[in-house]
Coordinates of all heavy atoms in Angstrom, one line a residue:
M911 N 0.8 -1.2 0.0 CA 0.0 0.0 0.0 C 0.9 1.2 0.0 O 1.7 1.4 0.9 CB -0.9 0.0 1.2 CG -1.8 1.1 1.4 SD -3.0 1.2 2.7 CE -2.6 0.0 3.9
S912 N 0.8 2.1 -1.0 CA 1.6 3.3 -1.1 C 0.7 4.5 -0.9 O -0.5 4.5 -1.3 CB 2.3 3.4 -2.4 OG 1.4 3.5 -3.5
R913 N 1.3 5.4 -0.2 CA 0.5 6.7 0.0 C 1.2 7.8 -0.8 O 2.4 7.9 -0.8 CB 0.6 7.1 1.5 CG -0.2 6.2 2.4 CD -0.1 6.7 3.8 NE -0.5 5.7 4.7 CZ -0.4 5.9 6.0 NH1 0.0 7.0 6.5 NH2 -0.8 4.9 6.8
S914 N 0.3 8.5 -1.4 CA 0.8 9.7 -2.2 C 0.2 10.9 -1.6 O -1.0 11.1 -1.7 CB 0.4 9.5 -3.7 OG 0.8 10.7 -4.4
R915 N 1.0 11.7 -1.0 CA 0.5 12.9 -0.4 C 0.9 14.1 -1.1 O 2.1 14.3 -1.6 CB 1.0 13.1 1.1 CG 0.5 12.0 2.0 CD 0.8 12.2 3.4 NE 1.9 13.1 3.7 CZ 2.5 13.2 4.9 NH1 2.1 12.5 5.8 NH2 3.4 14.1 5.1
A916 N 0.0 15.0 -1.3 CA 0.3 16.3 -2.0 C 1.1 17.2 -0.9 O 0.8 17.1 0.3 CB -1.0 17.0 -2.4
P917 N 2.0 18.0 -1.4 CA 2.7 18.8 -0.5 C 1.8 19.8 0.2 O 0.8 20.3 -0.4 CB 3.7 19.6 -1.3 CG 3.3 19.3 -2.7 CD 2.4 18.2 -2.8
S918 N 2.0 20.1 1.5 CA 1.2 21.0 2.2 C 1.4 22.4 1.7 O 2.4 22.7 1.0 CB 1.5 20.9 3.7 OG 2.7 21.4 4.0
A919 N 0.6 23.3 2.1 CA 0.7 24.7 1.7 C 2.0 25.3 2.2 O 2.7 26.1 1.6 CB -0.5 25.5 2.1
D920 N 2.4 24.9 3.5 CA 3.6 25.4 4.1 C 4.8 24.9 3.3 O 5.7 25.7 3.0 CB 3.7 24.9 5.5 CG 2.7 25.5 6.4 OD1 2.2 26.6 6.1 OD2 2.4 25.0 7.5
H921 N 4.8 23.6 2.9 CA 6.0 23.1 2.1 C 6.0 23.8 0.8 O 7.1 24.2 0.3 CB 5.9 21.6 1.9 CG 6.2 20.8 3.2 ND1 5.2 20.3 3.9 CD2 7.3 20.6 3.8 CE1 5.7 19.7 5.0 NE2 7.0 19.8 4.9
R922 N 4.9 24.1 0.2 CA 4.9 24.7 -1.1 C 5.4 26.2 -1.0 O 6.1 26.7 -1.9 CB 3.5 24.7 -1.7 CG 3.4 25.3 -3.1 CD 4.1 24.5 -4.1 NE 4.3 25.2 -5.3 CZ 4.9 24.7 -6.3 NH1 5.3 23.5 -6.4 NH2 5.0 25.4 -7.4
A923 N 5.0 26.8 0.1 CA 5.4 28.2 0.3 C 7.0 28.3 0.5 O 7.6 29.2 0.0 CB 4.7 28.8 1.5
V924 N 7.5 27.3 1.2 CA 9.0 27.3 1.4 C 9.7 27.0 0.1 O 10.7 27.7 -0.3 CB 9.3 26.2 2.4 CG1 10.8 25.9 2.5 CG2 8.8 26.6 3.8
F925 N 9.1 26.1 -0.7 CA 9.7 25.7 -2.0 C 9.7 27.0 -2.9 O 10.7 27.3 -3.6 CB 9.0 24.6 -2.6 CG 9.5 24.1 -3.9 CD1 10.7 23.5 -4.0 CD2 8.8 24.3 -5.1 CE1 11.2 23.0 -5.2 CE2 9.3 23.9 -6.3 CZ 10.5 23.2 -6.4
D926 N 8.6 27.7 -3.0 CA 8.4 28.9 -3.8 C 9.4 29.9 -3.3 O 10.0 30.6 -4.2 CB 7.0 29.4 -3.7 CG 6.0 28.5 -4.5 OD1 6.5 27.6 -5.2 OD2 4.8 28.7 -4.3
A927 N 9.6 30.1 -2.0 CA 10.6 31.1 -1.5 C 12.0 30.7 -1.9 O 12.8 31.6 -2.3 CB 10.5 31.2 0.0
I928 N 12.3 29.5 -1.9 CA 13.7 29.0 -2.3 C 13.9 29.4 -3.8 O 14.9 29.9 -4.2 CB 13.9 27.5 -2.1 CG1 14.0 27.3 -0.5 CG2 15.1 27.0 -2.8 CD1 13.9 25.8 -0.2
L929 N 12.9 29.1 -4.6 CA 13.0 29.3 -6.0 C 13.1 30.8 -6.3 O 13.8 31.2 -7.3 CB 11.8 28.7 -6.8 CG 11.8 27.2 -6.8 CD1 10.6 26.7 -7.6 CD2 13.0 26.6 -7.3
R930 N 12.5 31.7 -5.5 CA 12.6 33.1 -5.7 C 13.9 33.7 -5.3 O 14.3 34.7 -5.8 CB 11.5 33.8 -5.0 CG 10.1 33.8 -5.6 CD 9.1 34.8 -5.0 NE 8.9 34.5 -3.6 CZ 8.0 33.6 -3.1 NH1 7.3 33.0 -4.0 NH2 7.9 33.4 -1.8
T931 N 14.6 33.0 -4.4 CA 15.9 33.6 -3.8 C 17.1 32.9 -4.3 O 18.2 33.4 -4.2 CB 15.8 33.6 -2.3 OG1 15.7 32.2 -1.9 CG2 14.7 34.4 -1.8
D932 N 17.0 31.7 -4.9 CA 18.2 30.9 -5.3 C 18.1 30.6 -6.8 O 17.3 29.7 -7.2 CB 18.2 29.6 -4.5 CG 19.5 28.8 -4.8 OD1 20.3 29.2 -5.7 OD2 19.6 27.7 -4.1
F933 N 18.8 31.4 -7.6 CA 18.7 31.2 -9.0 C 19.2 29.8 -9.5 O 18.6 29.3 -10.4 CB 19.6 32.3 -9.7 CG 19.4 32.3 -11.2 CD1 18.2 32.7 -11.8 CD2 20.5 32.0 -12.0 CE1 18.1 32.7 -13.2 CE2 20.4 32.0 -13.4 CZ 19.2 32.4 -14.0
Y934 N 20.2 29.3 -8.9 CA 20.6 27.9 -9.2 C 19.5 26.9 -9.0 O 19.2 26.0 -9.9 CB 21.8 27.6 -8.4 CG 22.5 26.2 -8.7 CD1 22.9 25.9 -10.0 CD2 22.7 25.3 -7.7 CE1 23.5 24.7 -10.3 CE2 23.3 24.1 -8.0 CZ 23.7 23.8 -9.3 OH 24.3 22.6 -9.6
A935 N 18.8 27.0 -7.9 CA 17.6 26.1 -7.7 C 16.5 26.4 -8.7 O 15.9 25.4 -9.2 CB 17.1 26.3 -6.3
F936 N 16.3 27.6 -9.1 CA 15.3 27.9 -10.1 C 15.7 27.3 -11.4 O 14.8 26.7 -12.1 CB 15.2 29.5 -10.2 CG 14.1 29.9 -11.2 CD1 12.8 29.8 -10.9 CD2 14.5 30.4 -12.4 CE1 11.8 30.1 -11.8 CE2 13.5 30.8 -13.3 CZ 12.2 30.7 -13.0
V937 N 16.9 27.4 -11.8 CA 17.4 26.8 -13.1 C 17.1 25.3 -13.1 O 16.6 24.7 -14.0 CB 18.8 27.1 -13.4 CG1 19.4 26.2 -14.5 CG2 19.0 28.6 -13.7
Q938 N 17.4 24.6 -11.9 CA 17.2 23.2 -11.8 C 15.7 22.9 -11.9 O 15.3 21.9 -12.5 CB 17.7 22.7 -10.5 CG 19.2 22.7 -10.4 CD 19.7 22.3 -9.0 OE1 19.4 21.2 -8.6 NE2 20.4 23.1 -8.3
A939 N 14.8 23.7 -11.4 CA 13.4 23.5 -11.4 C 12.8 23.7 -12.7 O 11.9 22.9 -13.1 CB 12.7 24.4 -10.3
I940 N 13.3 24.7 -13.5 CA 12.6 24.9 -14.8 C 13.2 24.1 -15.9 O 12.6 24.0 -17.0 CB 12.7 26.4 -15.2 CG1 14.1 26.8 -15.5 CG2 12.0 27.3 -14.2 CD1 14.2 28.0 -16.4
F941 N 14.4 23.5 -15.7 CA 15.0 22.8 -16.8 C 14.1 21.7 -17.4 O 14.0 21.7 -18.7 CB 16.3 22.2 -16.4 CG 17.0 21.5 -17.5 CD1 17.7 22.2 -18.5 CD2 17.0 20.1 -17.7 CE1 18.4 21.6 -19.5 CE2 17.6 19.5 -18.7 CZ 18.3 20.2 -19.7
P942 N 13.5 20.8 -16.7 CA 12.6 19.8 -17.3 C 11.5 20.4 -18.1 O 11.0 19.8 -19.1 CB 12.1 19.0 -16.1 CG 13.0 19.3 -15.0 CD 13.5 20.7 -15.2
I943 N 11.0 21.6 -17.7 CA 9.9 22.2 -18.4 C 10.3 22.8 -19.7 O 9.7 22.6 -20.8 CB 9.3 23.3 -17.5 CG1 8.7 22.7 -16.2 CG2 8.2 24.1 -18.2 CD1 8.5 23.7 -15.1
V944 N 11.5 23.5 -19.7 CA 11.9 24.2 -21.0 C 12.7 23.3 -21.9 O 12.8 23.6 -23.1 CB 12.7 25.4 -20.7 CG1 11.9 26.4 -19.9 CG2 14.0 25.1 -19.9
S945 N 13.1 22.1 -21.4 CA 13.8 21.2 -22.3 C 13.0 20.0 -22.7 O 13.6 19.0 -23.2 CB 15.1 20.7 -21.5 OG 14.7 19.9 -20.5
G946 N 11.7 20.0 -22.5 CA 10.9 18.9 -23.0 C 11.1 17.6 -22.2 O 10.9 16.5 -22.7
G947 N 11.4 17.8 -20.9 CA 11.5 16.6 -20.0 C 12.8 16.0 -19.9 O 13.0 15.0 -19.3
S948 N 13.8 16.6 -20.6 CA 15.2 16.0 -20.5 C 15.7 16.1 -19.1 O 15.3 17.0 -18.3 CB 16.1 16.8 -21.4 OG 15.7 16.7 -22.7
Q949 N 16.6 15.2 -18.7 CA 17.2 15.2 -17.4 C 18.4 16.2 -17.3 O 19.2 16.2 -18.2 CB 17.7 13.8 -17.0 CG 18.2 13.7 -15.6 CD 18.7 12.3 -15.3 OE1 18.6 11.4 -16.1 NE2 19.2 12.1 -14.1
L950 N 18.5 17.0 -16.3 CA 19.6 17.9 -16.1 C 20.8 17.2 -15.6 O 20.7 16.5 -14.5 CB 19.1 19.1 -15.2 CG 20.2 20.1 -14.8 CD1 20.7 20.8 -16.1 CD2 19.6 21.1 -13.9
M951 N 21.9 17.3 -16.2 CA 23.1 16.8 -15.8 C 23.9 17.9 -15.1 O 24.6 18.7 -15.8 CB 23.9 16.2 -16.9 CG 23.2 15.1 -17.7 SD 22.7 13.7 -16.7 CE 24.3 12.8 -16.7
L952 N 23.8 18.0 -13.8 CA 24.5 19.0 -13.0 C 26.0 18.9 -13.1 O 26.6 17.9 -13.1 CB 24.0 19.0 -11.6 CG 22.6 19.3 -11.4 CD1 22.2 19.2 -9.9 CD2 22.2 20.7 -11.8
N953 N 26.6 20.1 -13.2 CA 28.1 20.2 -13.3 C 28.5 21.6 -12.7 O 27.6 22.5 -12.6 CB 28.6 20.0 -14.7 CG 30.0 19.5 -14.7 OD1 30.8 19.7 -13.8 ND2 30.4 19.0 -15.9
W954 N 29.7 21.7 -12.4 CA 30.2 22.9 -11.8 C 29.9 24.2 -12.6 O 29.7 25.3 -12.1 CB 31.7 22.8 -11.4 CG 32.6 22.8 -12.6 CD1 33.0 21.7 -13.3 CD2 33.1 23.9 -13.4 NE1 33.8 22.0 -14.4 CE2 33.8 23.4 -14.4 CE3 33.0 25.3 -13.2 CZ2 34.5 24.2 -15.3 CZ3 33.7 26.1 -14.1 CH2 34.4 25.5 -15.2
H955 N 30.0 24.0 -13.9 CA 29.8 25.2 -14.8 C 28.4 25.8 -14.7 O 28.3 27.0 -14.8 CB 30.2 24.9 -16.2 CG 29.2 24.1 -17.0 ND1 29.1 22.7 -16.8 CD2 28.3 24.4 -17.8 CE1 28.2 22.3 -17.6 NE2 27.6 23.3 -18.2
I956 N 27.4 25.0 -14.5 CA 26.1 25.5 -14.4 C 25.9 26.3 -13.1 O 25.3 27.4 -13.1 CB 25.0 24.3 -14.4 CG1 25.2 23.5 -15.7 CG2 23.6 24.8 -14.2 CD1 24.4 22.2 -15.7
E957 N 26.5 25.8 -12.0 CA 26.5 26.6 -10.8 C 27.3 27.9 -10.9 O 26.8 28.9 -10.4 CB 27.1 25.7 -9.7 CG 26.9 26.3 -8.3 CD 27.3 25.4 -7.2 OE1 27.6 24.2 -7.4 OE2 27.2 25.8 -6.0
A958 N 28.4 27.9 -11.7 CA 29.2 29.1 -11.9 C 28.4 30.1 -12.7 O 28.4 31.3 -12.4 CB 30.5 28.7 -12.6
I959 N 27.7 29.6 -13.8 CA 26.9 30.5 -14.6 C 25.7 31.1 -13.7 O 25.5 32.3 -13.8 CB 26.3 29.8 -15.8 CG1 27.4 29.4 -16.8 CG2 25.2 30.6 -16.5 CD1 26.9 28.4 -17.9
A960 N 25.1 30.3 -12.9 CA 24.0 30.8 -12.0 C 24.5 31.8 -11.0 O 23.9 32.8 -10.8 CB 23.3 29.6 -11.3
A961 N 25.7 31.5 -10.5 CA 26.3 32.5 -9.5 C 26.6 33.8 -10.2 O 26.3 34.9 -9.6 CB 27.5 31.9 -8.9
A962 N 27.1 33.8 -11.4 CA 27.4 35.0 -12.1 C 26.2 35.8 -12.4 O 26.1 37.0 -12.3 CB 28.3 34.7 -13.3
L963 N 25.2 35.1 -12.9 CA 23.9 35.7 -13.2 C 23.2 36.2 -12.0 O 22.5 37.3 -12.1 CB 23.0 34.8 -14.0 CG 23.5 34.5 -15.5 CD1 22.7 33.4 -16.1 CD2 23.5 35.7 -16.3
S964 N 23.4 35.6 -10.9 CA 22.8 36.1 -9.6 C 23.4 37.4 -9.3 O 22.7 38.3 -8.8 CB 23.0 35.1 -8.5 OG 22.3 33.9 -8.7
K965 N 24.7 37.6 -9.5 CA 25.4 38.9 -9.3 C 24.9 39.9 -10.2 O 24.7 41.1 -9.8 CB 26.9 38.7 -9.4 CG 27.5 37.9 -8.3 CD 29.0 37.8 -8.5 CE 29.6 37.1 -7.4 NZ 31.1 37.0 -7.5
V966 N 24.5 39.6 -11.4 CA 23.9 40.5 -12.4 C 22.6 41.0 -11.8 O 22.2 42.2 -11.8 CB 23.8 39.9 -13.8 CG1 22.9 40.8 -14.7 CG2 25.1 39.6 -14.4
M967 N 21.8 40.0 -11.3 CA 20.4 40.4 -10.8 C 20.5 41.3 -9.6 O 19.7 42.2 -9.4 CB 19.7 39.1 -10.4 CG 19.2 38.3 -11.6 SD 18.0 37.0 -11.1 CE 18.8 36.1 -9.9
R968 N 21.6 41.1 -8.8 CA 21.8 42.0 -7.6 C 22.5 43.3 -7.9 O 22.9 44.0 -7.0 CB 22.5 41.2 -6.5 CG 21.8 40.1 -5.9 CD 22.5 39.5 -4.7 NE 23.8 39.1 -5.0 CZ 24.2 37.8 -5.3 NH1 23.3 36.9 -5.4 NH2 25.5 37.5 -5.6
C969 N 22.8 43.5 -9.2 CA 23.5 44.7 -9.7 C 24.9 44.8 -9.2 O 25.5 45.9 -9.1 CB 22.7 46.0 -9.4 SG 21.1 46.0 -10.2
E970 N 25.5 43.7 -8.9 CA 26.9 43.6 -8.5 C 27.8 43.6 -9.7 O 29.0 44.0 -9.6 CB 27.2 42.4 -7.6 CG 26.5 42.5 -6.3 CD 26.7 41.2 -5.5 OE1 27.5 40.4 -5.8 OE2 25.9 41.0 -4.5
I971 N 27.3 43.1 -10.8 CA 28.0 43.1 -12.1 C 27.1 43.8 -13.1 O 25.9 43.5 -13.2 CB 28.3 41.6 -12.6 CG1 29.2 40.9 -11.6 CG2 28.8 41.6 -14.0 CD1 29.4 39.4 -12.0
R972 N 27.7 44.7 -13.9 CA 26.9 45.4 -14.9 C 27.0 44.7 -16.3 O 26.1 44.8 -17.1 CB 27.3 46.8 -15.0 CG 27.0 47.6 -13.7 CD 27.0 49.0 -13.9 NE 26.2 49.4 -15.0 CZ 26.1 50.6 -15.4 NH1 26.8 51.6 -14.9 NH2 25.3 50.9 -16.4
R973 N 28.2 44.1 -16.6 CA 28.4 43.5 -17.8 C 29.0 42.1 -17.6 O 29.8 41.9 -16.8 CB 29.4 44.3 -18.7 CG 28.9 45.7 -19.1 CD 30.0 46.4 -19.8 NE 29.5 47.8 -20.0 CZ 29.7 48.4 -21.2 NH1 30.4 47.8 -22.1 NH2 29.3 49.6 -21.3
L974 N 28.5 41.2 -18.4 CA 28.9 39.8 -18.2 C 29.0 39.1 -19.5 O 28.1 39.2 -20.3 CB 27.9 39.0 -17.3 CG 28.2 37.5 -17.0 CD1 29.5 37.3 -16.2 CD2 27.0 36.9 -16.3
I975 N 30.1 38.5 -19.8 CA 30.3 37.6 -21.0 C 30.5 36.2 -20.5 O 31.4 35.9 -19.7 CB 31.5 38.1 -21.8 CG1 31.3 39.5 -22.4 CG2 31.8 37.1 -23.0 CD1 32.5 40.0 -23.1
I976 N 29.7 35.3 -21.0 CA 29.8 33.9 -20.6 C 30.3 33.1 -21.8 O 29.7 33.1 -22.9 CB 28.4 33.3 -20.2 CG1 27.8 34.1 -19.0 CG2 28.5 31.8 -19.9 CD1 26.4 33.7 -18.7
T977 N 31.5 32.6 -21.7 CA 32.1 31.9 -22.8 C 32.3 30.4 -22.4 O 33.2 30.0 -21.6 CB 33.5 32.5 -23.1 OG1 34.3 32.5 -21.9 CG2 33.4 33.9 -23.7
V978 N 31.3 29.6 -22.8 CA 31.4 28.2 -22.6 C 31.0 27.5 -23.9 O 30.3 28.1 -24.8 CB 30.4 27.7 -21.5 CG1 30.9 28.2 -20.1 CG2 29.0 28.2 -21.7
P979 N 31.3 26.3 -24.1 CA 30.9 25.6 -25.4 C 29.4 25.5 -25.6 O 28.7 25.6 -24.6 CB 31.5 24.2 -25.2 CG 32.6 24.3 -24.2 CD 32.1 25.4 -23.3
P980 N 29.0 25.3 -26.8 CA 27.6 25.1 -27.0 C 27.0 23.9 -26.2 O 27.7 23.0 -25.8 CB 27.5 24.7 -28.5 CG 28.8 25.3 -29.1 CD 29.8 25.2 -28.0
R981 N 25.7 24.0 -25.9 CA 25.0 23.0 -25.2 C 25.4 22.9 -23.7 O 25.4 21.9 -23.1 CB 25.1 21.6 -25.8 CG 24.9 21.5 -27.3 CD 23.5 21.4 -27.8 NE 22.8 20.3 -27.1 CZ 21.5 20.3 -27.0 NH1 20.8 21.3 -27.5 NH2 20.8 19.4 -26.4
S982 N 25.8 24.1 -23.2 CA 26.3 24.2 -21.8 C 25.3 24.8 -20.9 O 25.6 25.2 -19.8 CB 27.6 24.9 -21.7 OG 28.6 24.2 -22.4
L983 N 24.0 25.0 -21.4 CA 22.9 25.7 -20.6 C 23.1 27.2 -20.5 O 22.3 27.8 -19.8 CB 22.8 25.1 -19.2 CG 21.5 24.3 -19.0 CD1 21.4 23.1 -19.9 CD2 21.4 24.0 -17.6
K984 N 24.0 27.8 -21.3 CA 24.2 29.2 -21.2 C 22.9 29.9 -21.7 O 22.5 30.9 -21.0 CB 25.4 29.6 -22.1 CG 25.6 31.0 -22.5 CD 26.8 31.2 -23.4 CE 26.5 30.4 -24.6 NZ 27.7 30.3 -25.5
S985 N 22.3 29.5 -22.7 CA 21.1 30.2 -23.2 C 19.9 30.0 -22.3 O 19.1 31.0 -22.1 CB 20.8 29.7 -24.7 OG 21.8 30.1 -25.5
I986 N 19.7 28.8 -21.8 CA 18.6 28.6 -20.9 C 18.7 29.4 -19.7 O 17.8 30.0 -19.2 CB 18.4 27.1 -20.6 CG1 17.9 26.4 -21.8 CG2 17.5 26.9 -19.4 CD1 17.7 24.9 -21.7
C987 N 19.9 29.5 -19.1 CA 20.1 30.3 -17.9 C 20.0 31.8 -18.2 O 19.3 32.5 -17.4 CB 21.5 30.0 -17.4 SG 21.8 28.4 -16.7
A988 N 20.6 32.3 -19.2 CA 20.7 33.7 -19.4 C 19.5 34.3 -20.2 O 19.1 35.4 -19.9 CB 22.0 34.1 -20.2
S989 N 18.9 33.5 -21.1 CA 17.9 34.1 -22.0 C 16.5 33.6 -21.6 O 15.5 34.2 -22.0 CB 18.1 33.7 -23.4 OG 19.4 34.2 -23.8
V990 N 16.4 32.5 -20.9 CA 15.0 32.0 -20.5 C 14.8 32.2 -19.0 O 13.8 32.8 -18.6 CB 14.9 30.5 -20.8 CG1 13.6 29.9 -20.4 CG2 15.1 30.3 -22.3
A991 N 15.7 31.7 -18.1 CA 15.5 31.8 -16.7 C 15.7 33.2 -16.1 O 14.9 33.6 -15.3 CB 16.4 30.8 -16.0
L992 N 16.7 33.8 -16.6 CA 17.1 35.1 -16.0 C 15.9 36.2 -16.2 O 15.6 36.8 -15.2 CB 18.4 35.7 -16.5 CG 18.9 37.0 -16.0 CD1 19.2 36.8 -14.5 CD2 20.1 37.5 -16.7
P993 N 15.4 36.3 -17.3 CA 14.3 37.3 -17.5 C 13.1 37.0 -16.6 O 12.4 38.0 -16.2 CB 13.9 37.3 -19.0 CG 15.1 36.7 -19.6 CD 15.7 35.8 -18.6
V994 N 12.9 35.8 -16.3 CA 11.7 35.4 -15.4 C 12.0 35.8 -14.0 O 11.1 36.2 -13.2 CB 11.4 33.9 -15.5 CG1 10.4 33.5 -14.5 CG2 11.0 33.6 -16.9
C995 N 13.3 35.7 -13.6 CA 13.7 36.0 -12.2 C 14.0 37.4 -11.9 O 14.0 37.8 -10.7 CB 14.9 35.2 -11.8 SG 14.6 33.5 -11.5
V996 N 14.3 38.2 -12.9 CA 14.6 39.6 -12.6 C 13.4 40.4 -12.0 O 12.3 40.3 -12.6 CB 15.1 40.3 -13.9 CG1 15.3 41.8 -13.7 CG2 16.4 39.7 -14.4
P997 N 13.6 41.0 -10.8 CA 12.5 41.7 -10.2 C 11.9 42.8 -11.1 O 12.7 43.5 -11.8 CB 13.1 42.3 -9.0 CG 14.4 41.6 -8.8 CD 14.8 41.1 -10.1
K998 N 10.7 42.9 -11.2 CA 10.0 43.9 -12.0 C 10.0 45.2 -11.3 O 9.8 45.3 -10.1 CB 8.5 43.5 -12.3 CG 8.2 42.1 -12.8 CD 9.1 41.7 -13.9 CE 8.7 40.4 -14.4 NZ 9.5 39.2 -14.1
T999 N 10.4 46.3 -12.0 CA 10.4 47.6 -11.3 C 9.3 48.5 -11.8 O 8.6 48.3 -12.7 CB 11.8 48.3 -11.6 OG1 11.9 48.4 -13.0 CG2 12.9 47.6 -11.0

């Protein structure tokens, strides 16, 4: 007998707060949605890209060039996830 419980409202609120404050967690959460269900293979460069883009969101960096090989999640992080996370003014 297996039980399947839906997350409580408190758990969902905590999860939503994490996604709003941690860009790396947000990238991990949206990847299956924007990639058609593909599995995300985490590596140090994704965390580095997320950390650099987080500094951009906090206005600690004004200009950023990301130079990594193709298929390194650069576009999903910078062109898909970042505009969603940037606070609206």
